[in-house]
Amino acid sequence: MLELEDIQAGVVRPRPTPYAASYILLRVDERAAGREALGRLSEVVASAANPDRLAGRAWVSVALTYWGLQSLGLPPESLRSFSWEFQQGMSARASALGDTGESSPEHWEHPLGTSDVHIIVVALGPNRQMLDGELTRARKAFETLPGVTPIWRQDCHALPTETEPFGFRDGINHPAIEGSGIPGTNPHEPPLKPGEFVLGYPDEMGGISPVPQPEVLGRNGTYAVFRKLHQRVAAFRRYLRENAESSAEEEWLAAKLMGRWRSGAPLALCPAADDAALGADRDRNNAFQYADDPTGYKTPAGCHIRRMNPRDTPVAGVVRLHRMIRRGTAYGPVLPEGVLEDDGVDRGLMFAFIGAHLGRQFEFVQSEWVNAGTSLGLGDTKDPVTGPNAGTGSFSIPRRHIPKRLRGLSQFVVTRGGEYCFMPGLRALRWLAELES
Ligand code: HEM
């Protein structure tokens, strides 16, 4: 059984809809103050036990970077027991992640990707009022400590359209995790072993992966990835306009690129026309597989959601080894409907990944399925929505007689920065607060 009372609620709890969220980054200049802040934050962080308790409420999560653990004085042998990707940090992994050109760390928003980022406090809730209540409690934990400085903040909010900035319903898929008490969204996907998402438990490889040491620190923790992803909404809309002959065809193209209509209705269940009621129905909008559609007549194999989770597509290998808990929260204002020119305003997603295996989950998906297509039998193609297509990207829409081939895809998503983090269990947060050295 998962020790839910020791696991942060933010690990397993799906994002509410609507929502508000805030990300606050802290730098620790004095070890004692950093430890004190963590001790105080451990009083505010919600646990994953009794999930109903948090219904309609906001909750706070805390994560640390490698530099953060170092700033607290964690001994070198303990630091070395973390996954090597985490030890390197996201900016050092830029070329593996495709964060090159405009997305490269030299263009990131300061201080993202630097050794100044130590502690990350995330608050998520159903509205700003609830969120501010929890955030005020969390801020008391560090605001009065001279050796701990807030250095960056990003507020996020559900758009009035209840979609992500490109206009698609988001926050649909959530995997079922054995023992979490929270149901998954796809009844055809058996629950995943808890060790896929929490350290210290059996995983889909049949064993228990190494846990950061000492055990009290690693057990019930997990890894998290935060990425600020700027979205070029006007460019995405223009691409649809230039490649369609009617607004109905624009919607069809958008659905083919994503694998879902903007309403959230999956092509797998309604390939010919949108079904808004299905899109909004949480019991039905993720209840599908791809076995009846090997060629991709309904859902193209190269679209965003089929690449990110090929479900039962045989060519994809053991998909269960590459699943993730994913939480996107939007930042910036909506680009008004019909606007096709960029207004220069920053908008996009704070993308969050949670999983126990940075390498075979997040990094694999980003490098092999977003930035490349060979391992999915898709040749030299990238994700048409989120991939680093440089004006020469292509995308194939299988059709009975002649497939439709889109060309000239450009880069619609640019990385503005991010961090690899460790989200300790609650006991571990207190243990870190009491470290002596
Ligand atoms: C700005 C960038 C992105 C946008 C606009 C975006 C948008 C979406 C949307 C609209 C969905 C369908 C709704 C849902 O299942 O929640 C989705 C699903 C998903 N996305 Fe993204 N996404 C982005 C980046 C990423 C990245 C970087 C990854 C992973 C590295 C990713 C992984 C996934 C996964 C795993 C799913 C669930 C697929 C499924 O199970 O059917 N996304 N995304």
Side-chain angles (χ1 to χ4, degrees):
M1 287 297 286
L2 276 171
E3 292 163 356
L4 293 173
E5 67 293 340
D6 192 38
I7 297 168
Q8 295 196 37
V11 173
V12 289
R13 200 170 169 73
R15 193 206 71 191
T17 303
Y19 63 85
S22 289
Y23 288 76
I24 298 178
L25 306 187
L26 308 177
R27 187 184 67 228
V28 175
D29 296 314
E30 281 172 35
R31 189 163 286 179
R35 293 173 181 173
E36 175 68 24
L38 271 195
R40 294 187 195 173
L41 282 167
S42 71
E43 304 290 320
V44 183
V45 172
S47 90
N50 311 321
D52 293 342
R53 194 176 38 92
L54 289 175
R57 293 183 42 199
W59 59 91
V60 167
S61 310
V62 171
L64 296 112
T65 62
Y66 176 80
W67 302 109
L69 290 171
Q70 206 177 44
S71 75
L72 295 173
L74 199 67
E77 62 274 19
S78 178
L79 286 166
R80 280 196 299 271
S81 67
F82 283 81
S83 90
W84 63 268
E85 298 92 347
F86 171 75
Q87 292 183 48
Q88 293 200 345
M90 188 187 289
S91 56
R93 301 289 299 148
S95 61
L97 297 174
D99 286 336
T100 54
E102 295 169 276
S103 291
S104 70
E106 74 214 58
H107 301 303
W108 285 5
E109 215 171 289
H110 190 74
L112 300 176
T114 70
S115 57
D116 273 355
V117 181
H118 295 158
I119 301 176
I120 292 150
V121 178
V122 185
L124 182 58
N127 55 51
R128 182 53 56 187
Q129 197 187 3
M130 287 284 176
L131 187 94
D132 282 345
E134 280 306 289
L135 214 49
T136 305
R137 289 181 63 212
R139 291 207 329 244
K140 282 192 186 134
F142 53 82
E143 273 182 350
T144 50
L145 291 169
V148 176
T149 313
I151 51 173
W152 188 83
R153 174 172 172 157
Q154 179 69 61
D155 289 331
C156 301
H157 49 264
L159 301 179
T161 47
E162 293 204 353
T163 64
E164 52 70 45
F166 289 143
F168 296 91
R169 184 185 295 275
D170 198 6
I172 297 175
N173 192 311
H174 193 272
I177 308 161
E178 274 182 18
S180 74
I182 298 175
T185 50
N186 182 1
H188 305 293
E189 180 181 53
L192 287 133
K193 294 281 177 213
E196 290 300 305
F197 303 106
V198 185
L199 291 158
Y201 297 87
D203 63 24
E204 292 287 327
M205 301 282 280
I208 300 180
S209 294
V211 169
Q213 291 300 307
E215 180 87 5
V216 62
L217 172 63
R219 187 172 175 78
N220 292 326
T222 191
Y223 291 104
V225 173
F226 300 109
R227 269 162 96 70
K228 182 169 180 177
L229 300 176
H230 167 72
Q231 291 178 242
R232 292 183 166 146
V233 178
F236 184 70
R237 287 182 187 170
R238 273 201 312 277
Y239 186 81
L240 297 176
R241 178 68 51 92
E242 285 158 11
N243 287 276
E245 284 172 7
S246 64
S247 52
E249 198 187 351
E250 280 181 43
E251 287 310 299
W252 177 80
L253 270 187
K256 288 291 182 184
L257 294 173
M258 180 55 74
R260 290 183 185 271
W261 301 91
R262 292 189 204 248
S263 70
L267 288 174
L269 298 180
C270 53
D274 190 7
D275 178 344
L278 169 61
D281 185 342
R282 284 160 196 257
D283 291 332
R284 294 188 295 142
N285 65 11
N286 199 35
F288 62 90
Q289 299 286 77
Y290 296 122
D292 64 336
D293 184 25
T295 317
Y297 287 135
K298 291 194 277 184
T299 313
C303 73
H304 179 63
I305 69 160
R306 193 160 176 175
R307 287 179 102 105
M308 296 300 88
N309 177 12
R311 303 186 187 215
D312 53 353
T313 307
V315 69
V318 187
V319 173
R320 291 170 70 79
L321 297 180
H322 313 297
R323 297 287 284 120
M324 61 179 77
I325 294 175
R326 172 190 142 272
R327 245 161 251 144
T329 51
Y331 71 89
V334 176
L335 184 68
E337 214 178 312
V339 174
L340 297 179
E341 288 308 317
D342 187 18
D343 59 359
V345 178
D346 189 14
R347 55 176 61 81
L349 269 193
M350 280 297 287
F351 167 88
F353 152 99
I354 292 173
H357 309 278
L358 280 177
R360 73 167 159 83
Q361 293 173 326
F362 174 69
E363 287 208 349
F364 177 89
V365 171
Q366 182 68 39
S367 60
E368 296 297 322
W369 290 353
V370 173
N371 298 342
T374 323
S375 67
L376 290 170
L378 296 168
D380 184 20
T381 64
K382 300 178 174 48
D383 186 307
V385 181
T386 72
N389 290 296
T392 51
S394 65
F395 179 72
S396 177
I397 303 177
R399 289 189 300 189
R400 296 275 169 212
H401 304 298
I402 311 165
K404 185 175 171 78
R405 188 125 179 115
L406 292 177
R407 295 185 197 280
L409 279 162
S410 64
Q411 182 161 0
F412 302 124
V413 174
V414 178
T415 310
R416 288 270 156 94
E419 300 292 343
Y420 281 173
C421 306
F422 174 63
M423 274 176 87
L426 294 171
R427 208 165 33 221
L429 276 176
R430 292 190 291 273
W431 181 85
L432 282 166
E434 285 157 18
L435 261 180
E436 281 171 15
S437 62

